[in-house]
Amino acid sequence: MGAQASKQIARRKAISTEKQTLCDLQGSCGTDFPGSDYRPADRQNWMSGIGPDKIRIHQIVWPGTHDSATNKIGIPFVTRPFAQCQSLSIYRQLCRGARVLDIRVNQDRLICHGILKTYSVDVVIADVKKFLSETQSEVILLEVRTEFGHDDPPEFDRYLEEQLGEHLIHQDDAVFGKTVAELLPRRVICVWKPRKSEAPKPGGALWGPGYLKDNWIDTDLPSTKFESNLKFLSQQGAAAGRRFFYRVENTVTPQPDNPIVCVKPVTSRIHSYARLFINQAVAKGWGDRLQILSTDFIDEDFVDACAGFTYARAEGKA
């Protein structure tokens, strides 16, 4: 018992120290970067506001949500706090400005996070379609994967193509160099990541797993995750030369050996440092490598930061 108590005291001290490290870094370096003062007039249409003919796909800093469809997962006040990473529906996330969705399914086409499950993926598709019907030039990067520990839903690639067919931007490496305007009216890049089923083939309506990459580490320590994100970003080439999307997750993960295992209080340790991350990436000369930045519980300031850096790139200021 004494050893366990000592371990918990050490863990809490480490978390406190790392939270202070990020606070001090922000205090000394600030949060400025090219476009940091930009605020979209309409977040639902922020790409349109910058200009579809001015933004190339590789220039976009895509605001994404982590475990996007978990707003109603589990039982409220019982299991939900351990798995909920977003409080808004998919439609409301898109209206707020999110443009990358992280959707995880099981063999029954239900959204899940680990062993917990929620509504059908049909709800996600309906929300995406609703958003597309209300906008004209907003492009969505929709990542759908089979959750770890589950089997692939049967014929799911066919399902995605049937549901989103007219909206799908077909796989083509040339897409990265095109403007949003050149891709219209198609506005969904759908990356399908099955576990055992055959992956999408080149040139098809869906994009394969290799087109969206990240370097996730399992930690609840905010400065450790922040520095890891910078390290892995530094190892990437410039977005203009890549032929895949690279994601940085501005999140930390609850650990089972820690007294605090609910998502929201844990991820809040890093949540407010998205602007600092962009600031540091630019300061270290890696700003041109940033592409997708994702978060738990997406808010307006996070969207504004990504939109602002995108605006600066479109204007030739970054």
Side-chain angles (χ1 to χ4, degrees):
M1 182 68 73
Q4 183 63 23
S6 297
K7 181 180 179 181
Q8 291 303 322
I9 292 172
R11 288 283 295 160
R12 292 188 181 190
K13 184 176 180 180
I15 291 168
S16 178
T17 298
E18 293 218 2
K19 288 168 66 176
Q20 189 62 49
T21 296
L22 287 182
C23 183
D24 292 345
L25 182 63
Q26 182 162 287
S28 61
C29 297
T31 56
D32 291 340
F33 52 83
S36 60
D37 57 349
Y38 179 82
R39 299 293 183 274
D42 176 9
R43 292 186 185 90
Q44 185 172 357
N45 291 282
W46 68 263
M47 289 183 177
S48 299
I50 296 174
D53 58 337
K54 295 171 65 175
I55 318 173
R56 298 192 181 277
I57 294 301
H58 70 76
Q59 292 178 307
I60 299 172
V61 180
W62 304 73
T65 53
H66 165 245
D67 261 308
S68 305
T70 53
N71 56 307
K72 292 186 177 181
I73 201 160
I75 303 172
F77 307 110
V78 181
T79 56
R80 185 170 297 173
F82 303 108
Q84 184 186 46
C85 299
Q86 307 296 331
S87 56
L88 302 177
S89 68
I90 294 297
Y91 172 72
R92 290 181 63 196
Q93 289 174 44
L94 292 169
C95 290
R96 181 162 286 187
R99 293 296 177 266
V100 179
L101 300 174
D102 164 18
I103 307 299
R104 309 182 187 194
V105 297
N106 67 10
Q107 59 272 18
D108 299 317
R109 296 184 183 173
L110 296 178
I111 301 299
C112 55
H113 186 181
I115 62 173
L116 297 180
K117 56 190 178 182
T118 178
Y119 45 72
S120 167
V121 72
D122 292 344
V123 175
V124 173
I125 299 298
D127 275 6
V128 168
K129 287 181 175 179
K130 180 180 180 182
F131 175 77
L132 292 172
S133 73
E134 296 175 355
T135 57
Q136 294 183 334
S137 304
E138 304 302 303
V139 178
I140 299 169
L141 180 50
L142 174 63
E143 177 197 33
V144 189
R145 70 175 99 171
T146 302
E147 176 68 311
F148 180 77
H150 296 272
D151 293 328
D152 300 321
E155 299 185 333
F156 196 64
D157 52 351
R158 182 182 300 178
Y159 165 82
L160 290 171
E161 290 186 42
E162 289 176 350
Q163 292 293 317
L164 296 168
E166 64 179 323
H167 303 295
L168 291 173
I169 298 169
H170 287 219
Q171 188 279 314
D172 181 354
D173 287 358
V175 164
F176 293 96
K178 292 185 177 181
T179 64
V180 169
E182 290 175 310
L183 298 175
L184 299 177
R186 296 179 180 269
R187 293 191 284 139
V188 178
I189 297 172
C190 184
V191 178
W192 166 226
K193 296 182 174 181
R195 290 208 166 268
K196 296 180 180 178
S197 303
E198 186 178 7
K201 296 179 180 178
L206 305 178
W207 297 56
Y211 281 101
L212 202 169
K213 302 179 182 181
D214 54 38
N215 292 101
W216 179 77
I217 67 165
D218 188 11
T219 182
D220 63 351
L221 298 172
S223 182
T224 295
K225 182 63 177 289
F226 190 94
E227 292 300 325
S228 172
N229 284 343
L230 282 174
K231 181 190 77 172
F232 285 120
L233 182 65
S234 75
Q235 296 169 0
Q236 307 305 311
R242 287 200 303 262
R243 293 300 175 261
F244 61 87
F245 296 97
Y246 183 75
R247 173 171 52 204
V248 172
E249 291 192 341
N250 189 57
T251 64
V252 286
T253 308
Q255 300 299 303
D257 64 346
N258 194 282
I260 303 176
V261 291
C262 296
V263 174
K264 198 160 192 175
V266 172
T267 202
S268 67
R269 298 168 188 166
I270 198 172
H271 185 270
S272 63
Y273 293 107
R275 286 182 177 272
L276 176 64
F277 185 83
I278 300 175
N279 167 282
Q280 288 298 287
V282 172
K284 295 177 183 296
W286 307 326
D288 62 343
R289 306 173 193 194
L290 187 60
Q291 194 166 37
I292 299 172
L293 191 59
S294 67
T295 187
D296 292 322
F297 303 102
I298 192 168
D299 58 28
E300 292 88 348
D301 187 66
F302 182 85
V303 171
D304 291 354
C306 295
F309 200 28
T310 302
Y311 171 77
R313 286 179 172 178
E315 294 294 319
K317 299 177 181 178

